[in-house]
Amino acid sequence: MTEASATRVAVTSTLDYYLLDPDCPRGLLVEEFELADDLSATRLRTAGWTPAHGGWWSSAAFARAVRTDPDVRARVRAVSRTEAAETYRRLGGGALPDDDALRDRFGDDVSLAGAAPLRLDVGPPVHRVLFAGGLDTARLGQLRAALRLDGTTEHGAGRLRVDGTALRWELRHAGGVAWCLDVTAEPLDRDALRPLLRRLTGVVRGHGLVPATVECLG
């Protein structure tokens, strides 16, 4: 990405949408990460909708299971709001409520507050988005291309300049069992970081990984 690509990081919503049992959709999952001033995640807010269960429900246990149980995770697929709205209509829900109305369905939240891991190196803070799930060789290649990663690190890095701020992101293995995206801004500019984190997280979600939390290291 270049300076001219900066407008592509603009976002209009902070809600994430998933189909439940995507091969034969039976409902929706809607989620939102609540972020602190340093852009670390403090809560995961979540609500599901299944007409067979009487409409909207909220379950922290289900949100955790999506991130810890591969069998449960295989039952959800990230989609756009447009696709979610079409599924909602097709399953008899009518017009999908707007973002504020959907937030009213959140109830049983997952607390994510906690001390960030110690970072010993120097430089700007690293905003790390952790993801649950795995990538085979083909999907890893597709994700690298979608994130516009170069080949200077193990899995590559992407770069963008916005109004003089140098933004950089790297895709990494996290402990060998998950994936993470490390994003930095130099000089630190959280106004530029916030939409970029949202944009990049959406790209990774679209390739089958599920965001678990956002940490600010440093």
Side-chain angles (χ1 to χ4, degrees):
M1 290 186 180
T2 64
E3 187 97 35
S5 305
T7 56
R8 299 182 187 178
V9 305
V11 294
T12 58
S13 174
T14 58
L15 301 186
D16 294 334
Y17 297 89
Y18 300 86
L19 297 186
L20 296 176
D21 296 321
D23 291 338
C24 185
R26 66 180 185 88
L28 303 177
L29 181 66
V30 182
E31 297 186 334
E32 182 176 43
F33 286 94
E34 188 172 280
L35 304 182
D37 290 343
D38 67 357
L39 303 186
S40 62
T42 59
R43 284 195 300 172
L44 172 60
R45 315 205 67 199
T46 179
W49 178 81
T50 42
H53 292 86
W56 289 96
W57 46 267
S58 184
S59 171
F62 185 77
R64 292 189 188 98
V66 168
R67 288 152 176 87
T68 59
D69 187 330
D71 291 335
V72 176
R73 189 162 52 250
R75 293 175 50 206
V76 304
R77 177 170 62 84
V79 293
S80 66
R81 178 181 168 89
T82 299
E83 187 172 350
E86 172 57 26
T87 300
Y88 187 76
R89 183 199 60 76
R90 189 169 65 250
L91 294 178
L96 184 66
D98 63 23
D99 286 3
D100 287 340
L102 287 173
R103 290 185 180 97
D104 289 339
R105 273 68 174 181
F106 296 151
D108 190 12
D109 299 341
V110 180
S111 176
L112 300 173
L118 179 65
R119 188 171 66 94
L120 298 177
D121 59 328
V122 297
V126 176
H127 289 78
R128 172 169 291 175
V129 188
L130 287 166
F131 295 88
L135 293 169
D136 57 25
T137 301
R139 282 199 299 157
L140 176 58
Q142 292 165 358
L143 178 55
R144 281 177 52 93
L147 291 172
R148 301 187 182 184
L149 304 182
D150 61 27
T152 59
T153 61
E154 180 185 4
H155 295 296
R159 295 170 178 81
L160 172 67
R161 292 192 67 85
V162 178
D163 297 331
T165 299
L167 299 156
R168 188 175 188 273
W169 54 95
E170 292 186 36
L171 183 67
R172 302 176 182 271
H173 264 125
V177 295
W179 290 86
C180 69
L181 197 67
D182 285 352
V183 186
T184 59
E186 196 167 8
L188 179 61
D189 182 348
R190 291 194 174 96
D191 288 338
L193 266 175
R194 186 183 293 272
L196 181 64
L197 283 169
R198 174 68 181 158
R199 170 72 175 177
L200 295 175
T201 300
V203 172
V204 179
R205 284 179 60 247
H207 287 77
L209 300 183
V210 178
T213 192
V214 185
E215 299 172 339
C216 179
L217 312 182

